[in-house]
Amino acid sequence: MPIKPHSTYLYKFPIVQHGTHWYHSHSGLQEQIGMYGAFIMNKRKEWDIPTLPVVLSDWIDMNPKEVNRSLHNQTDWFGIRKNTTQSYWEAVRSGHVKTKFTNEWKRMTAMDVSDVAYDKFLINGKNQNEQPQFKAGDKVRLRIANGGASSYFWLTYSGGKITVVATDGNDVQPVQVDRLLIAVSETYDVVVTIPKK
């Protein structure tokens, strides 16, 4: 049941898992106005390095009700903003006019995976995030969650390799990567070393 404004409700349940997770509201369109965040459950014995939660998300300045209305009415507004609309002439020229008609009959515009043209992409609710407490040589565990509604994020690190140590709340054999694609709702724990300037 929804928790009424200015009130609290205490949930009690046994913790049998650990790791990086995230939460979001399922009431109305609250998630689209920022009702989400990191949900981290520590093991009894964690790594002895600093940990930093990082929630990635997408944001649009438009009222979520208007976004929802636009999506249900199959307007091309977001496609126009993202320059991803397909004209009938383009469909004819590329030999996909039948597909275009079929998709329009199904009310599927050309842009069906990431339908919204977002105004911003956020890190912990802000458009940038500085952490001046870390110094060159420090190792930091980033607990990353993709709280975006429909955006995938490529994670890269200008300081070198990223060491993946957990995914979706489960520890994994550490593996080093140059970059990491994080899909909607996925979480990754990565370890990075702060480089010298």
Side-chain angles (χ1 to χ4, degrees), residues 47 141 163-175 188-189:
W47 293 26
R141 182 177 185 155
T163 303
V164 179
V165 297
T167 179
D168 293 329
N170 299 299
D171 293 337
V172 298
Q173 185 70 36
V175 61
Y188 284 96
D189 287 23

Side-chain angles (χ1 to χ4, degrees), residues 1 65 84 160:
M1 294 298 295
K65 291 179 182 172
T84 58

Side-chain angles (χ1 to χ4, degrees), residues 92-163:
V92 169
R93 191 179 61 205
S94 63
H96 296 292
V97 72
K98 182 178 180 216
T99 303
K100 180 157 179 68
F101 282 127
T102 300
N103 286 345
E104 288 193 357
W105 175 257
K106 293 178 184 176
R107 296 181 64 186
M108 290 175 59
T109 55
M111 201 178 104
D112 195 53
V113 174
S114 183
D115 294 322
V116 179
Y118 294 101
D119 295 305
K120 299 177 187 99
F121 298 97
L122 306 176
I123 302 170
N124 293 340
K126 299 180 179 171
N127 63 359
Q128 61 182 334
N129 190 318
E130 295 182 9
Q131 300 294 326
Q133 72 272 27
F134 299 119
K135 307 293 180 235
D138 287 351
K139 285 191 181 306
V140 181
R141 182 177 185 155
L142 304 176
R143 293 180 172 264
I144 304 166
N146 182 350
S150 63
S151 297
Y152 285 59
F153 293 96
W154 273 113
L155 302 176
T156 60
Y157 181 53
S158 61
K161 298 271 189 186
I162 302 168
T163 303

Side-chain angles (χ1 to χ4, degrees), residues 52-69:
L52 186 66
V54 177
V55 179
L56 306 172
S57 58
D58 38 34
W59 179 265
I60 187 166
D61 293 330
M62 183 184 288
N63 183 314
K65 291 179 182 172
E66 285 301 308
V67 172
N68 194 34
R69 183 192 61 75

